[in-house]
Amino acid sequence: MAIEVIEEKCSGCGACVSACPYNCIQLIEGKAKIDENCCQLCGACVSSCGEGAIRISEAPRKAFDKSKYRGVMVVAEQRRGKIHRITYELLWIGRKLADKLGETLTCVLIGSGIRKEAESLIRRGADRVLVYDDERLEKLREDPYADLIVDAVRAEMPSILLMGGTSFGRALAPVIAARLKTGLTADCTGLDVDEEGNLIQTRPAYGGNIMATIVCRDRRPQMATVRYKVMKEAEEDPDRKGVVVEMRVPEKLRDRTVVLREVVEEGQSIEDAEVIVAGGGGIRAPEDFKLLEELANLLGGTVAASRVIVDKGWMPKSRQVGLSGKTVRPKLYIACGISGSVQHLAGMKNSDVIVAINKDPSARIFDYAKIGVVGDLYEIVPEMIRILREMKAG
Amino acid sequence: MGLRIIVCVKQVPATQEVKIDPERGTLIREGIEVETNPFDLNALEEGVRIKERVGGKVIAISMGPPQAESTLREALAMGADEAILLSDRALAGADTLATSYTLSCAIRKIGKFDLIICGEKTTDGDTAQVGPELAENLGIPFVPYVRKIEEIGEDYLIVHREIEEGYQVVRVPLPCLLTVTKDINDPRLPSLKDKIRARKAQIRVWTAEDLAEICERSRFGLEGSPTRVIKVETPPEPTGGEVLRGDPKELAKKLVEKLIELGFVR
Ligand SMILES: Cc1cc2nc3c(=O)[nH]c(=O)nc-3n(C[C@H](O)[C@H](O)[C@H](O)COP(=O)(O)OP(=O)(O)OC[C@H]3O[C@@H](n4cnc5c(N)ncnc54)[C@H](O)[C@@H]3O)c2cc1C
Ligand SMILES: Nc1ncnc2c1ncn2[C@@H]1O[C@H](COP(=O)(O)O)[C@@H](O)[C@H]1O
């Protein structure tokens, strides 16, 4: 395995120098030089080079028989017997991929008393639903869930396996990938298939500054978790038909961790809100969030915050929007005093309508806003509240 | 009692100041420093705190290029007793599957352990996959997103695991692996004395050869990685919509009118 610069082709443009995330490339006498001890073989330079002058040579791989693997499988998620909405997003993207491949879409449903939901998954696009229903599966735990999903994979041999990019899905999927010794791409925001049936996976990297495209050519299933609230939701079609398969849950379930108790901490999660009023660095004091709360109430929504606010302890982590917080996709997102860093944008840029209130006209958030308002939030928000209150009153 | 604790740490490019070259659309890397993955500092701190509570030993391990040694020196300064660097050309280019496999080989080579602690995720890869994959490779249970350790028993732990709606209190047998969130603690700042001690400490370096005694070479590095990055690009920037300026009172009125038009006010 080696990386090399084909000197005749190198034009010395320096694109690779700035593309290298590890700072391992220098231009020496007009040619790119890669420090082999520093290089991580990530391939960023290869794709940055317009001249095709950088090459990673690999030893030929052991053949893996892909021919037995067909179809798309998605894993449904449930919370306390109710289907989690990520499932509908997985069915939407899963359906698209299955149609493009001309193959079936299978959905794995695991839980306690969950059998009744199987038909609704067919109405949302699944051709087959494999149900593992057992009272021991009520609480989410990695051990039994991983075993049952691996069981489903062995039974169906799907070529693609998609799971939710929720905190549970992101902890569970790697267990399955490690067991099946296959590739797993985290938190994808875009998925497609090429002519050869390879899953083309896109995801943000380096804090959302770049998008990486990743493939898993010679292992199956190709696994990905899908970022919540990025895909659309599959709609219900009351006439859709499909097959429900009851799967056997083994008498002995592997279960090494014990959930002693579960503590619910708050009401509405920001991920489910239709309207979000978010505050950022422009908010001067913690009590000023009362203002945003009032506006949110009048619009039937809830409040959220950027990371600077959460870092100050003015809002709980569960209300942070962005790369290291939640991804939201409300109908209306009002950003008050938020500059629009890539990390924040990563969590909200798919909202239907974005409104930005910011006194700096060059703030990046305005590039993403359908309606931008240049001004002081402390003047504008109270006035909006006054007008809306008046309207409600009469 | 005393626990043998292994903490996995990674050196990452400091992403705070990542900027895009608008003409080339590539990352501007000049002057970008490397740092220890911030979540791994929480993992280290927790390991050291457990050792301080019940006794034992903390071993920090990292896979990376030779310069990752500075991250291990930081770990030693924070209270780790030993540090091991897995560094070799043959290990480079690893995806999470190959990384977790390689780490599991090193841990097998270390021998007996009671607890492994990882950060929740890294700021560069941001996959949160290496911890769970490592646990699976070693055949031990794990608990992700741990934000509090409530009890350290003879052969078990009771921990608080963050879930979307709150948290679960989980009992897990030892040996096990935990991934910890930023909320679990505030990492200490090592004193000058600690830093000097760490600078003199010895760091063991293991190569692919050392690990091949117990593992398959073909599962290391790029060769052992099923995934490939085939393209890296800067997402295109949108150019924005309508911008309203003027007197704040007027602006508020206009904005409310727009919201009514769009059907957000009932
Ligand atoms: C690995 C990593 C992960 C991150 N994850 C996240 C994340 O998940 N979420 C997140 O939000 N950030 C995240 N960040 C931080 C991010 O880089 C920014 O620091 C942060 O988003 C900035 O928040 P802000 O725009 O609210 O504050 P600031 O950058 O302080 O901006 C404040 C804005 O308010 C405006 N303003 C000030 N006063 C007023 C006023 N009276 N009226 C109107 N406008 C006013 C200013 O013009 C300015 O534009 C992350 C960073 C890193 C490195
Ligand atoms: N190269 C590495 N060396 C040591 N530990 C690592 C490495 N990569 C990842 N880890 C550990 O795995 C965690 C999750 O990383 P990631 O899956 O990249 O988000 C990190 O916080 C580290 O504890």
Side-chain angles (χ1 to χ4, degrees):
Chain A
M1 213 133 8
I3 186 157
E4 58 174 337
V5 178
I6 307 158
E7 290 211 346
E8 305 84 74
K9 289 193 183 172
C10 177
S11 69
C13 73
C16 55
V17 176
S18 43
C20 177
Y22 302 93
N23 246 344
C24 305
I25 312 183
Q26 276 182 297
L27 282 182
I28 299 176
E29 292 167 9
K31 300 282 173 192
K33 284 270 179 308
I34 301 173
D35 177 354
E36 294 239 332
N37 285 320
C38 162
C39 169
Q40 297 294 292
L41 293 176
C42 73
C45 55
V46 178
S47 39
S48 78
C49 180
E51 274 71 41
I54 306 177
R55 187 165 62 189
I56 296 181
S57 49
E58 289 181 48
R61 307 183 133 234
K62 268 197 228 113
F64 180 91
D65 185 8
K66 297 193 275 188
S67 63
K68 292 188 295 238
Y69 292 82
R70 281 181 72 80
V72 180
M73 179 180 275
V74 302
V75 178
E77 272 197 40
Q78 51 92 16
R79 299 285 187 275
R80 300 183 178 80
K82 271 191 65 189
I83 300 293
H84 189 289
R85 303 201 80 90
I86 182 72
T87 311
Y88 305 145
E89 301 178 9
L90 290 168
L91 286 168
W92 181 81
I93 184 68
R95 185 72 261 162
K96 278 193 25 172
L97 299 174
D99 287 346
K100 197 160 171 194
L101 291 163
E103 296 176 2
T104 39
L105 173 62
T106 305
C107 183
V108 182
L109 177 59
I110 302 173
S112 163
I114 200 78
R115 163 71 185 80
K116 60 184 190 321
E117 300 290 342
E119 275 76 21
S120 80
L121 302 175
I122 289 175
R123 289 197 294 276
R124 297 233 189 209
D127 299 311
R128 295 158 59 71
V129 179
L130 312 185
V131 186
Y132 295 89
D133 193 331
D134 189 294
E135 54 188 24
R136 292 168 296 168
L137 296 168
E138 188 203 329
K139 292 214 172 69
L140 304 177
R141 269 125 45 242
E142 282 76 15
D143 271 350
Y145 273 68
D147 287 356
L148 296 174
I149 295 166
V150 168
D151 180 66
V153 168
R154 297 222 159 107
E156 299 274 316
M157 305 286 271
S159 123
I160 294 172
L161 175 62
L162 305 180
M163 298 178 57
T166 56
S167 56
F168 184 59
R170 284 187 70 176
L172 179 61
V175 181
I176 296 162
R179 190 133 5 128
L180 299 174
K181 299 195 176 58
T182 189
L184 169 62
T185 306
D187 224 20
C188 295
T189 54
L191 291 168
D192 198 358
V193 280
D194 68 9
E195 313 77 56
E196 287 148 43
N198 290 312
L199 185 64
I200 310 296
Q201 312 163 99
T202 13
R203 67 178 304 254
Y206 296 107
N209 288 289
I210 57 173
M211 296 299 288
T213 305
I214 295 165
V215 293
C216 171
R217 284 206 190 88
D218 28 52
R219 283 303 160 85
R220 294 293 181 266
Q222 306 164 82
M223 286 186 65
T225 56
V226 180
R227 180 140 222 192
Y228 187 29
K229 294 275 173 182
V230 172
M231 304 293 166
K232 293 204 180 98
E233 285 190 3
E235 302 208 344
E236 273 198 85
D237 170 359
D239 301 325
R240 258 192 73 86
K241 295 279 173 297
V243 183
V244 178
V245 188
E246 306 269 357
M247 302 293 280
R248 205 181 67 81
V249 180
E251 242 153 72
K252 270 192 82 181
L253 266 186
R254 203 170 61 120
D255 208 355
R256 293 168 296 184
T257 60
V258 186
V259 180
L260 302 175
R261 54 180 205 276
E262 232 167 59
V263 182
V264 176
E265 279 183 322
E266 48 166 341
Q268 192 192 21
S269 83
I270 58 170
E271 282 155 307
D272 298 327
E274 298 210 328
V275 175
I276 291 176
V277 180
I283 301 288
R284 290 185 211 123
E287 55 274 15
D288 297 349
F289 267 93
K290 291 228 170 62
L291 219 60
L292 304 191
E293 227 157 73
E294 178 144 24
L295 180 58
N297 280 339
L298 287 161
L299 295 168
T302 188
V303 288
S306 73
R307 181 160 133 181
V308 290
I309 296 294
V310 174
D311 283 350
K312 282 184 190 152
W314 295 358
M315 274 274 151
K317 178 88 210 273
S318 58
R319 299 213 163 252
Q320 180 183 319
V321 170
L323 194 71
S324 48
K326 300 271 167 70
T327 308
V328 296
R329 195 179 180 170
K331 297 208 162 82
L332 174 63
Y333 189 92
I334 306 186
C336 305
I338 292 179
S339 60
S341 64
V342 268
Q343 293 91 355
H344 189 78
L345 289 164
M348 44 64 76
K349 66 180 174 209
N350 287 317
S351 307
D352 290 352
V353 174
I354 296 171
V355 174
I357 305 175
N358 195 310
K359 58 183 184 188
D360 173 8
S362 66
R364 173 111 163 253
I365 190 82
F366 286 126
D367 294 339
Y368 291 78
K370 185 180 167 82
I371 308 170
V373 181
V374 181
D376 189 336
L377 76 95
Y378 284 94
E379 291 173 331
I380 293 166
V381 174
E383 181 64 10
M384 288 175 76
I385 291 171
R386 196 189 60 76
I387 302 173
L388 288 167
R389 265 209 210 124
E390 238 168 46
M391 281 173 56
K392 299 254 147 140
Chain B
M1 52 190 276
L3 294 180
R4 276 175 71 85
I5 303 165
I6 294 170
V7 182
C8 299
V9 292
K10 187 184 182 190
Q11 190 171 73
V12 297
T15 45
Q16 274 82 348
E17 328 107 73
V18 173
K19 298 230 163 51
I20 310 290
D21 177 336
E23 260 152 46
R24 292 218 193 95
T26 51
L27 296 186
I28 298 173
R29 281 280 158 195
E30 276 87 88
I32 296 260
E33 303 280 305
V34 289
E35 63 180 13
T36 302
N37 176 39
F39 294 93
D40 297 349
L41 295 178
N42 298 96
L44 269 170
E45 175 66 31
E46 203 56 31
V48 173
R49 283 191 194 182
I50 295 171
K51 176 183 81 173
E52 287 166 352
R53 230 159 109 187
V54 299
K57 186 169 190 176
V58 174
I59 303 170
I61 94 172
S62 185
M63 181 178 96
Q67 61 263 36
E69 195 195 294
S70 61
T71 278
L72 287 170
R73 298 236 177 257
E74 195 177 351
L76 290 166
M78 280 177 71
D81 304 279
E82 283 179 37
I84 302 169
L85 176 62
L86 316 177
S87 193
D88 194 316
R89 287 292 300 149
L91 303 179
D95 67 2
T96 61
L97 191 72
T99 300
S100 61
Y101 178 71
T102 311
L103 290 172
S104 74
C105 296
I107 290 169
R108 288 221 161 91
K109 191 172 154 76
I110 291 171
K112 192 190 137 12
F113 67 90
D114 300 293
L115 176 63
I116 301 172
I117 311 180
C118 287
E120 178 190 336
K121 59 183 173 192
T122 52
T123 52
D124 61 345
D126 183 27
T127 77
Q129 285 172 189
V130 169
E133 289 188 336
L134 174 57
E136 179 63 26
N137 286 333
L138 291 166
I140 57 172
F142 78 101
V143 185
Y145 319 114
V146 171
R147 64 176 197 198
K148 185 178 171 184
I149 295 181
E150 187 177 284
E151 193 180 319
I152 304 171
E154 221 17 85
D155 55 358
Y156 68 91
L157 297 178
I158 294 178
V159 300
H160 290 200
R161 166 194 184 158
E162 206 169 279
I163 56 172
E164 278 142 48
E165 331 78 277
Y167 64 95
Q168 286 180 337
V169 183
V170 178
R171 182 190 163 110
V172 57
L174 295 173
C176 70
L177 181 146
L178 308 178
T179 78
V180 299
T181 71
K182 276 199 106 37
D183 294 333
I184 195 165
N185 55 41
D186 290 316
R188 68 193 66 189
L189 293 172
S191 69
L192 191 62
K193 208 173 104 224
D194 292 331
K195 284 190 191 156
I196 292 168
R197 183 180 45 78
R199 209 179 300 148
K200 291 189 192 137
Q202 201 221 334
I203 290 176
R204 267 184 287 170
V205 180
W206 287 349
T207 60
E209 197 62 49
D210 297 320
L211 299 175
E213 295 162 12
I214 42 172
C215 282
E216 289 170 56
R217 259 171 182 281
S218 63
R219 293 178 64 190
F220 293 153
L222 192 63
E223 191 187 354
S225 299
T227 62
R228 284 286 176 283
V229 178
I230 54 168
K231 196 165 73 189
V232 195
E233 63 190 350
T234 322
E237 294 262 337
T239 48
E242 183 183 4
V243 178
L244 310 176
R245 294 163 199 262
D247 168 63
K249 285 228 158 65
E250 276 301 308
L251 284 176
K253 191 158 157 266
K254 271 198 219 153
L255 183 51
V256 172
E257 278 162 11
K258 296 259 171 211
L259 295 180
I260 294 170
E261 244 171 68
L262 291 164
F264 290 118
V265 184
R266 263 152 292 171

